[in-house]
Structure formats: structure tokens, C-alpha cells
Amino acid sequence: MQVSLIHPDYVSGCWEEVEPLLAKSISTAHGRYTMDDILREVVNFHQHLWIVFDEKEIIAALTTRFMDYPRKRILAGQFLGGTRIMRWRDDMLVTLEKWAKDNNCTGLEMTGRNGFEKVLAPHGWTPEYVVFEKMFKEKENG
């Protein structure tokens, strides 16, 4: 397994394989992002595209971004999709932690479904809060 950050100049060469991997997580954004939005942000390096490949097959993709809060810089996981997470999880987390430290981040953050607690807890991640949302119906807007 290999984890790689994809330079924006090379995104077009792998996007056809990456797009279906990220599609499920994009669907949980509830209209905040489309796949075109993600592609645009990755190409402009507002989000970073990471891939996991096993020999020549891309088996997972993740996007991250730097969150510059007033007092901290955090590397935030945005969208994730793929297979065999337990085979590449460790390498991905080590790589992301190094990337975060190399870019003056004080930590990492990620939102995701409850199942990620099992995946991340062995690496020192703790669930700090759950994100709930209420979306307004169209006629309630303004």
C-alpha cells in the first residue's frame, strides 16, 4: 500500500478513478459541495488530494484542508472514500500527521460517521463532539 499526495497538476490523471471513491462521502455533504466543487478546490490546492494505491489500483481517496483558526492551524479531513481501510489506515494517519507538522499545524480534525471512532481511537484520536444539523425546508428560507 502506498499513500501519496497528488500535486494539483496531476489530478486530471487520476480523477476518473478518484471520483467514484469520493462520491458516497460527497453525498453526505447535504448540498454543501458537489463533486465539481471538490475538483475545483483540489486543482486550486484549497483542498489536498491523497490517494492510496495497491500496486496500480487506487483503492481509497481523501481530501484535507488547512483550517486557520485565530489561534491554531489544523489539518482537517474533508472527504474520504475507498476500501480496505484497516490495511492503509496506519500509513495514512502517519502521513497526515507528518504533513500537518511540516505545515505548522497544531493538530488534526475530522468529522465523520460514528464508525470512525473504531478506526481512529487506536491512534490517539478522541471523539470530542457529534455534529447535528437541521436543514430548513425551501419555503422557510427567508
Side-chain angles (χ1 to χ4, degrees):
M1 299 284 165
Q2 179 73 35
V3 176
S4 292
L5 174 63
I6 304 301
H7 189 280
D9 291 344
Y10 299 104
V11 169
S12 63
C14 66
W15 191 252
E16 189 174 303
E17 291 179 77
V18 166
E19 186 174 6
L21 295 171
L22 294 177
K24 187 175 181 180
S25 65
I26 295 297
S27 70
T28 65
H30 302 286
R32 290 179 183 91
Y33 284 91
T34 66
M35 197 62 72
D36 289 338
D37 297 327
I38 300 303
L39 177 58
R40 184 174 33 262
E41 288 194 3
V42 165
V43 167
N44 291 317
F45 214 52
H46 297 145
Q47 288 195 52
H48 325 113
L49 176 63
W50 302 86
I51 62 168
V52 179
F53 57 95
D54 187 2
E55 295 184 25
K56 293 183 179 182
E57 177 189 11
I58 298 174
I59 61 169
L62 166 73
T63 67
T64 60
R65 76 174 335 125
F66 296 121
M67 300 298 292
D68 290 308
Y69 297 107
R71 304 201 181 269
K72 293 184 178 193
R73 180 174 230 216
I74 303 288
L75 181 65
Q78 296 294 120
F79 299 98
L80 168 69
T83 61
R84 300 179 255 172
I85 191 169
M86 298 309 277
R87 291 189 60 205
W88 51 263
R89 169 201 62 185
D90 297 357
D91 290 340
M92 176 64 82
L93 292 174
V94 167
T95 301
L96 293 178
E97 187 171 325
K98 182 177 180 346
W99 172 253
K101 289 176 180 176
D102 287 349
N103 286 278
N104 302 312
C105 293
T106 58
L108 300 115
E109 67 183 22
M110 204 175 295
T111 57
R113 55 185 172 75
N114 291 339
F116 279 109
E117 183 175 357
K118 292 184 298 191
V119 173
L120 297 173
H123 290 272
W125 290 68
T126 57
E128 293 296 324
Y129 56 88
V130 175
V131 177
F132 290 92
E133 68 180 18
K134 176 183 176 182
M135 296 296 176
F136 297 117
K137 295 180 180 123
E138 286 297 318
K139 60 184 175 184
E140 291 178 329
N141 292 338

